[in-house]
Amino acid sequence: MSGADSGRLVGPDGGRCGQVAVLTLWTKNLMEIGITKGLGIMLPTLQQQLTTQMWIIGWITSMITATSGFMALFAALLSRRFGTGYVLVTCGTMLSAAVISGAFAETALQLALVYSLLAGTAIGVSNVVAKEAVGRCFTRNYATANGIARTGYSVGLFVFAPLVQLFLNTYGWKGTMLLVGSLTMHNIACGALMAATLPRLQLHDYQTVPYAERDSPRQSCFRSFWKFVFKSFDLELLYNARYWSVAIISCCTIYAYTMWIVYFVSQAQSNGFSLEEAGSFVTIAGVANLIAKVLQGLITDRGVISSWSLVTVCTVASSASYLASPWLTSYWPMLASALVILFCDGVLSCQTDVLVKQVLGVELLAGAFGWIGLKVAVLTFALGFLPGLIYDNTGSYTTAFLLIGSVQAFPLIPLLTLKYSKQ
């Protein structure tokens, strides 16, 4: 077994390895939302300073998402070849370099290339590798650990919005990028901790394949190459019906939530609410999202309710809230709808990862997360415009949110399939 392979994660439940893995994923999530949120806050300034149009700057975020989804496929291969810790150190370096280099961009094209190639690649690979690390370090308390790590997203929303605005007012957009880039270097430190911790874990017990079972020299190079690709990218998942079930659940949930984030404020205004009221809905519901990520693990890890049951209940509740949103014109019902949606998303974002591990096992985690990341990126990039297009053609968000609610309800089919199919 090579030295790189010795960094593969298999160990006792929790312990120091688990603490470092959770800290690494939490930090990665915090910095990821900091970069994307910071870019959103700086949109008007970047438009003026780079003398470009608003949609071009906004398009950079979509490019980051698309690149990260594509590069997620290579995460498992890189982790197996170089080790989890070293991959995370490299990704942290690339992420910091992307933001710092952005301070020296003179055109929107330069900024787009730097962010999409460096930041997109780093986010896509590190997301899969860090999530797999948590999955390998925890067995009994995986939902709790995953929930705590995912609170990094929620904390990032609360922290980086005022922080980036303070930097922008004090140091300008170039200084802001330099400071945010410096903050993202915490990812490098977490990766170094991971690299130092992994050798203490129990290692894979690989068995050497006897020579008689190896491919004969007469077999073609094409067949050897195909076997390498098939194993490196976990292509066996694409032939697994249970993988497609959990992939549909994850993709539909993420797509529906992303569309709600993009269009909710505009939809609330069309229902007669002010911009301030719409903002308060999101802020209050964001607290519920944070609480849900912590509570869901305490509930499922202690056997109060199964992951399947919790996901099913939250899927139904979330879908109903999406469907009801266009008809809510009073403050408290609209706030209740936002609370249910973000609370359920906090649960679903954690529990879908738990389902992936339960259904496919720990050895296929990285491959599954990579392929799901690609599907989410393609789905969001290809159909993210659809609710907006429906609104432009109808002048109402009713049909658009009916679509979003239907997408969120669709995972009930694979959930039932997983429940009653032969194990």
Side-chain angles (χ1 to χ4, degrees):
M1 181 172 60
S2 67
D5 285 54
S6 65
R8 300 291 293 158
L9 289 166
V10 174
D13 196 71
R16 185 182 177 188
C17 159
Q19 295 170 357
V20 172
V22 170
L23 175 63
T24 301
L25 182 55
W26 187 90
T27 305
K28 193 280 305 178
N29 292 337
L30 177 72
M31 297 306 163
E32 178 184 340
I33 203 67
I35 290 176
T36 54
K37 186 68 176 178
L39 192 63
I41 293 174
M42 290 189 290
L43 273 178
T45 303
L46 292 174
Q47 180 192 12
Q48 295 176 359
Q49 296 296 325
L50 300 179
T51 61
T52 185
Q53 296 179 349
M54 183 70 74
W55 72 269
I56 295 179
I57 302 298
W59 177 69
I60 295 177
T61 304
S62 298
M63 288 300 298
I64 294 175
T65 302
T67 305
S68 64
F70 175 75
M71 295 306 299
L73 286 178
F74 298 89
L77 175 62
L78 293 172
S79 181
R80 292 170 186 144
R81 178 62 182 86
F82 300 106
T84 301
Y86 297 107
V87 171
L88 290 172
V89 168
T90 304
C91 289
T93 304
M94 292 174 64
L95 197 60
S96 300
V99 183
I100 293 174
S101 300
F104 302 97
E106 297 181 354
T107 65
L109 177 61
Q110 294 175 354
L111 188 66
L113 289 175
V114 168
Y115 266 77
S116 61
L117 295 179
L118 291 179
T121 299
I123 290 173
V125 173
S126 64
N127 185 51
V128 172
V129 173
K131 284 168 63 176
E132 184 204 22
V134 175
R136 286 185 175 273
C137 287
F138 288 90
T139 302
R140 295 186 302 273
N141 297 308
Y142 175 51
T144 300
N146 191 35
I148 293 173
R150 280 186 172 272
T151 60
Y153 285 118
S154 303
V155 174
L157 287 174
F158 290 114
V159 171
F160 271 95
L163 187 63
V164 170
Q165 191 62 59
L166 175 63
F167 288 164
L168 195 59
N169 294 337
T170 307
Y171 304 105
W173 72 276
K174 289 181 178 290
T176 299
M177 284 193 167
L178 292 174
L179 288 169
V180 173
S182 300
L183 289 174
T184 58
M185 289 184 178
H186 284 85
N187 287 330
I188 303 175
C190 290
L193 278 174
M194 188 74 77
T197 305
L198 297 193
R200 303 180 185 181
L201 300 175
Q202 182 182 353
L203 304 177
H204 277 298
D205 187 17
Y206 289 111
Q207 295 181 349
T208 303
V209 179
Y211 181 80
E213 297 181 11
R214 296 177 183 171
D215 293 337
S216 69
R218 297 181 180 179
Q219 292 180 316
S220 67
C221 293
F222 176 80
R223 181 176 178 183
S224 299
F225 175 75
W226 170 247
K227 291 180 67 175
F228 169 78
V229 171
F230 190 89
K231 182 177 180 180
S232 298
F233 294 97
D234 293 312
L235 293 181
E236 61 186 283
L237 289 169
L238 302 182
Y239 300 93
N240 189 333
R242 294 173 67 80
Y243 158 74
W244 282 104
S245 295
V246 293
I248 290 172
I249 295 169
S250 297
C251 291
C252 291
T253 300
I254 295 173
Y255 175 81
Y257 172 71
T258 302
M259 295 302 99
W260 185 88
I261 289 294
V262 172
Y263 295 105
F264 171 73
V265 172
S266 178
Q267 183 262 332
Q269 289 181 293
S270 70
N271 282 14
F273 296 99
S274 66
L275 183 61
E276 291 74 17
E277 289 176 325
S280 69
F281 294 148
V282 177
T283 301
I284 297 172
V287 177
N289 183 267
L290 176 62
I291 295 173
K293 290 175 180 177
V294 178
L295 290 181
Q296 56 81 33
L298 300 177
I299 294 173
T300 56
D301 287 338
R302 280 146 188 81
V304 178
I305 187 174
S306 67
S307 294
W308 182 90
S309 299
L310 187 58
V311 170
T312 302
V313 170
C314 288
T315 298
V316 173
S318 180
S319 176
S321 297
Y322 285 129
L323 295 172
S325 293
W327 289 280
L328 301 179
T329 56
S330 299
Y331 183 87
W332 292 109
M334 193 65 165
L335 176 60
S337 173
L339 284 170
V340 171
I341 288 172
L342 285 196
F343 184 89
C344 290
D345 174 75
V347 173
L348 292 172
S349 63
C350 301
Q351 286 296 320
T352 49
D353 289 348
V354 176
L355 279 180
V356 171
K357 183 179 178 181
Q358 290 179 348
V359 171
L360 300 175
V362 69
E363 295 303 326
L364 293 174
L365 268 183
F369 287 149
W371 281 106
I372 290 173
L374 175 63
K375 292 175 177 62
V376 169
V378 172
L379 182 64
T380 305
F381 190 76
L383 299 179
F385 69 93
L386 198 54
L389 179 64
I390 293 174
Y391 174 76
D392 290 337
N393 290 331
T394 63
S396 171
Y397 277 107
T398 300
T399 305
F401 271 72
L402 288 176
L403 170 66
I404 295 173
S406 300
V407 171
Q408 180 60 84
F410 189 76
L412 291 173
I413 298 175
L415 278 169
L416 292 173
T417 302
L418 288 174
K419 179 69 174 179
Y420 298 108
S421 63
K422 193 182 241 181
Q423 299 294 326

